[in-house]
Amino acid sequence: MVLVLVIGDMHMPYRKAALPQKFKKLLVPGKIQHILCTGNLCLRETYDYLKNIASDVHIVRGDFDTNTSYPEQKVVTVGQFKIGLIHGHQVVPWGDHDAIATIRRQLDVDVMISGHTHKLEAYEKDGKFYINPGSVTGAYSALERDPVPAFILMDIQSNTLVTYVYSLANDEMEVKKIEFKKSIPEREE
């Protein structure tokens, strides 16, 4: 079992002061092996917090990040899955599924993660899996009137990705489970 935290659009402290307390209780050191972040951390302290949760942290630059060392896009391999990571402000129109699918094909990945819209999404399309973790703080967005704080935890086992979608509406935690199986090409004999 390999646990991967997918998180992003924190906007701390500019749009939200901190992570929801119920999320902080779940996101503790020693349980998660990898973190994939869609950016907009805004402060070095937020990066340090993520590094405290897991030593393997991958971040792409959001439109509010001042750290120019974060790349615009990144491909990470975890187990049998190639995972593409972008912030999402470079997708036109923002959040467009077809435009995101085009980037996924360019990166040649099994799973495509994007953010920016603060809208939580996890879905399968054409044998590939797409994730937008939303905003973990529920930060304001011009694209999403009332963002719900959310993050995603992926459990990767062989060719199966089990996605746990955590959201916090009206201070009530909700967890949904979505399973995605990567198709394995048949071998010719």
Side-chain angles (χ1 to χ4, degrees):
M1 174 166 79
V2 177
L3 291 179
V4 180
L5 173 63
V6 182
I7 195 168
D9 288 304
M10 298 164 171
H11 292 280
M12 295 187 314
Y14 307 112
R15 294 185 186 176
K16 287 288 183 171
L19 290 176
Q21 198 58 39
K22 288 185 177 182
F23 286 176
K24 277 187 178 180
K25 289 179 182 177
L26 295 173
L27 303 176
V28 295
K31 296 181 188 243
I32 297 166
Q33 288 76 41
H34 308 277
I35 297 176
L36 303 177
C37 179
T38 62
N40 282 345
L41 279 72
C42 298
L43 294 179
R44 171 70 189 200
E45 290 80 2
T46 307
Y47 172 80
D48 293 342
Y49 172 75
L50 294 178
K51 279 298 268 187
N52 184 47
I53 295 172
S55 60
D56 188 39
V57 178
H58 300 274
I59 300 169
V60 289
R61 187 171 57 245
D63 51 339
F64 284 87
D65 284 321
T66 57
N67 185 336
T68 57
S69 69
Y70 298 150
E72 284 282 320
Q73 61 187 29
K74 192 166 196 173
V75 174
V76 178
T77 301
V78 180
Q80 294 182 22
F81 289 90
K82 276 180 66 179
I83 303 168
L85 185 62
I86 61 170
H87 173 65
H89 65 279
Q90 57 279 75
V91 174
V92 179
W94 292 334
D96 182 76
H97 289 190
D98 291 333
I100 295 168
T102 299
I103 295 171
R104 189 216 50 83
R105 285 189 297 277
Q106 290 168 350
L107 296 177
D108 189 28
V109 294
D110 307 302
V111 179
M112 187 70 222
I113 299 171
S114 64
H116 185 61
T117 63
H118 300 205
K119 181 180 179 186
L120 176 64
E121 294 184 296
Y123 59 94
E124 185 176 346
K125 180 181 176 185
D126 299 327
K128 304 297 179 183
F129 200 66
Y130 295 83
I131 294 173
N132 183 330
S135 168
V136 69
T137 58
Y140 163 80
S141 165
L143 302 173
E144 190 69 16
R145 289 205 184 276
D146 195 18
V148 173
F151 70 88
I152 289 179
L153 195 59
M154 298 188 306
D155 178 4
I156 297 177
Q157 301 173 24
S158 185
N159 70 326
T160 303
L161 184 148
V162 180
T163 304
Y164 297 93
V165 179
Y166 290 80
S167 61
L168 197 59
N170 301 318
D171 206 36
E172 291 295 321
M173 179 85 68
E174 184 178 319
V175 182
K176 292 181 183 174
K177 179 180 170 183
I178 304 168
E179 190 170 301
F180 170 71
K181 283 192 184 285
K182 177 180 174 179
S183 61
I184 299 172
E186 293 184 28
R187 295 190 315 193
E188 293 183 28
E189 295 185 39

